[in-house]
């Protein structure tokens, strides 16, 4: 268990080490996913299809298509497809790294300095005291797992472009949308009353999951499928980057206070 118990803390509560290099790297890893937007803009600028690429009607995966030509009913040609796919992979690896380095205890306390983590709570069963995992701790573990799933899915999307004829591309995209959306929703609940950012994370989650439901019902047969897909994906990237910023700022503040002391 990372961290240390405090003299004033009730039994079972502890303050995780929020000054560690591990926490610092994990926060910045999450924040680094914003590189996706830079890569996407560059790849769109280099688009060589018969019609200009539109974020409203063009699918994100079209930017990573390896070959020029017709894919389904769309004419695609993305000379910088390698950059788009590399961005997907880097984004996914950053999320996996964050899921591995940001401990459950750290996630419980990262949004407010005076919050302490609790892994177990005491309960009684047949007059025998036992310890069970606390709900916030379970949520933090679930957030890490879901973030890791989203990261692995994004890596798959980058390694298996849409036009190679593999179902893994679609599966990877679903892993990113579903894993990322629910990770943000749980993180919003975990940080509720710790930071106003929790409302923003909740909004990102609702937009992502709502768009995912609409996409599933309509099979993406809508006037602007590109907009709908971006309503699934953009909130995940923005929300997780925001969470990384909150964590990185907390770690920076704690490390600065340590040096000043």
């Amino acid at each position: 268990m990372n961290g240390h118990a405090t003299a004033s803390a009730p039994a079972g509560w502890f303050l995780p080490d929020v000054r560690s290099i591990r926490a610092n790297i994990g926060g910045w890893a999450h924040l680094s996913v914003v590189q996706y937007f830079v890569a996407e803009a560059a790849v769109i600028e280099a688009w060589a299809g018969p019609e200009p690429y539109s974020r409203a009607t063009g699918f994100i995966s079209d930017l990573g298509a390896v070959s020029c030509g017709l894919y389904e009913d769309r004419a695609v040609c993305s000379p910088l497809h390698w950059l788009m796919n590399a961005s997907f992979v880097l984004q996914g690896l950053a999320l996996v790294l964050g899921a591995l380095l940001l401990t459950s205890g750290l996630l419980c306390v990262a949004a407010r300095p005076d919050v302490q983590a609790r892994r177990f709570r005491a309960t009684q069963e047949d007059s025998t005291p036992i310890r069970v995992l606390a709900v916030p701790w379970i949520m933090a573990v679930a957030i890490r797992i879901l973030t890791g799933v989203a990261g692995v899915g994004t890596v798959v999307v980058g390694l298996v472009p849409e036009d190679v004829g593999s179902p893994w591309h679609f599966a990877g995209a679903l892993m990113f949308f579903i894993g990322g959306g629910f990770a943000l929703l749980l993180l919003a609940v975990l940080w509720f009353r710790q930071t106003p950012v929790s409302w923003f994370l909740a909004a990102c989650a609702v937009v992502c999951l709502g768009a995912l439901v609409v996409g599933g019902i309509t099979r993406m047969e809508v006037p602007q499928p590109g907009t709908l897909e971006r309503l699934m994906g953009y909130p995940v990237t923005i929300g997780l980057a925001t969470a990384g910023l909150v964590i990185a700022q907390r770690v920076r503040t704690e490390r600065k206070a340590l040096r000043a002391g």
Side-chain angles (χ1 to χ4, degrees), residues 16 56 58 162 176 185 246:
E162 68 174 8
F176 175 69
L185 187 61
V246 170

Side-chain angles (χ1 to χ4, degrees), residues 16 25 74 80 82-83 88 104 116 138 147 183 185 190 199 213 226 229 235 246 255:
I25 294 175
R74 307 186 301 277
L80 291 184
W82 59 269
L83 177 59
F88 287 141
S104 301
Q116 294 173 339
I138 295 175
T147 302
L185 187 61
L190 184 65
W199 292 103
V213 170
E229 186 182 28
V246 170
R255 290 168 68 89

Side-chain angles (χ1 to χ4, degrees), residues 93-175:
L93 292 177
L95 294 180
V96 171
L97 186 63
L100 292 174
L101 296 183
L102 298 177
T103 66
S104 301
L106 175 66
L107 288 178
C108 288
V109 307
R112 201 171 74 186
D114 57 345
V115 172
Q116 294 173 339
R118 181 174 61 164
R119 184 171 185 178
F120 296 102
R121 63 181 178 86
T123 187
Q124 292 280 129
E125 184 174 329
D126 296 332
S127 301
T128 303
I130 60 175
R131 294 193 308 170
V132 297
L133 288 173
V135 172
W137 190 276
I138 295 175
M139 292 174 58
V141 172
I143 291 166
R144 296 178 65 190
I145 293 173
L146 289 168
T147 302
V149 168
V152 171
T154 313
V155 171
V156 171
V157 168
L159 295 179
V160 186
E162 68 174 8
D163 58 340
V164 301
S166 171
W168 281 105
H169 181 87
F170 179 71
L174 283 181
M175 290 169 65

Side-chain angles (χ1 to χ4, degrees), residues 205-215 228 232:
V206 169
V207 171
C208 166
L209 297 175
L212 187 61
V213 170
V214 173
L228 182 58
M232 301 177 197

